[in-house]
Each structure stands twice: as C-alpha cells, then as structure tokens.
Amino acid sequence: MEQMYIGHGEYKISKTSKEVEWRSPDQIVKQIEMIRALPLIDGSMHFTANVFKRMGDTLRKPIIEKQYKYIALTPEANRITRIKPPNKCFDYSKRKKDSLLGRQD
C-alpha cells in the first residue's frame, strides 16, 4: 500500500518574500487545508523544525490553533521488530559522579 505525503517549505516564509503568498504563516495553514481535502494524500511533512524554533509563535500559533488542535494518533507499526538491549546496560542509578554536571551524587 503506497502512501503519499506532501512536504511543506516553512523555510520560504518571510515578510520580504517576492511571492506574496509566502509572506504569512497562513500559507502553511492553507496548504494543510487543501491537502486534507484531497482523498489520495495521506498527510503532511514539515522539512525542518529549525524554522519553527526560529519563528516561534509567529509560525506555531496559527498552525496549532487551526490545523493541529488535537494530538496526532501514532499508527501501529507491526513491521518493526523489537530489539532487546544487551544485558550489560549501564545502570545510571549506581553512578557515583554526574559527568555532565561535574558533581558527586
């Protein structure tokens, strides 16, 4: 079963964009609305989280309020084999020194 996802280029959003459509974060909201109306499209992908981080609520707020109001349900992945970690895993509860903070427990 093939699936098709559409990628969004949030990195193109800029107040100084030559293309008027890309001057507002609402462009992504409009794209998501359009994609959801197409029965052969299975969903959206966002190319990089850095843009969300850089633009902050300017980009996140319209998308969360309009399109991603609800938490996504994760599809079941039966094809993934669960791999057990080796028996000799590091036991963090028995460490004597926190190497990241340089302090003794």
Side-chain angles (χ1 to χ4, degrees), residues 40-81:
L40 297 177
I41 306 298
D42 294 300
S44 296
M45 297 180 341
H46 301 276
F47 284 117
T48 177
N50 289 335
V51 177
F52 288 94
K53 191 175 177 182
R54 187 185 77 229
M55 293 186 73
D57 285 342
T58 303
L59 178 57
R60 284 191 302 258
K61 194 171 181 178
I63 293 173
I64 290 170
E65 288 177 352
K66 297 174 184 174
Q67 296 302 325
Y68 296 145
K69 289 189 256 187
Y70 307 105
I71 296 172
L73 300 176
T74 306
E76 189 173 322
N78 291 330
R79 68 186 186 282
I80 298 174
T81 306

Side-chain angles (χ1 to χ4, degrees), residues 77-87 89:
N78 291 330
R79 68 186 186 282
I80 298 174
T81 306
R82 297 202 185 276
I83 301 171
K84 287 178 131 181
N87 289 334
C89 288

Side-chain angles (χ1 to χ4, degrees), residues 83-99:
I83 301 171
K84 287 178 131 181
N87 289 334
K88 295 184 178 184
C89 288
F90 184 76
D91 186 352
Y92 286 96
S93 66
K94 295 179 181 175
R95 71 181 185 269
K96 293 188 179 188
K97 183 176 180 179
D98 185 339
S99 60

Side-chain angles (χ1 to χ4, degrees), residues 6-11 13 21-38 43-46 52 55-69:
I6 301 299
H8 300 283
E10 289 89 356
Y11 60 90
I13 297 171
E21 297 85 10
W22 288 105
R23 292 183 188 166
S24 168
D26 284 333
Q27 175 63 17
I28 301 299
V29 173
K30 290 175 189 174
Q31 288 180 10
I32 295 169
E33 287 172 356
M34 184 174 50
I35 288 167
R36 288 182 176 175
L38 300 171
S44 296
M45 297 180 341
H46 301 276
F52 288 94
M55 293 186 73
D57 285 342
T58 303
L59 178 57
R60 284 191 302 258
K61 194 171 181 178
I63 293 173
I64 290 170
E65 288 177 352
K66 297 174 184 174
Q67 296 302 325
Y68 296 145
K69 289 189 256 187

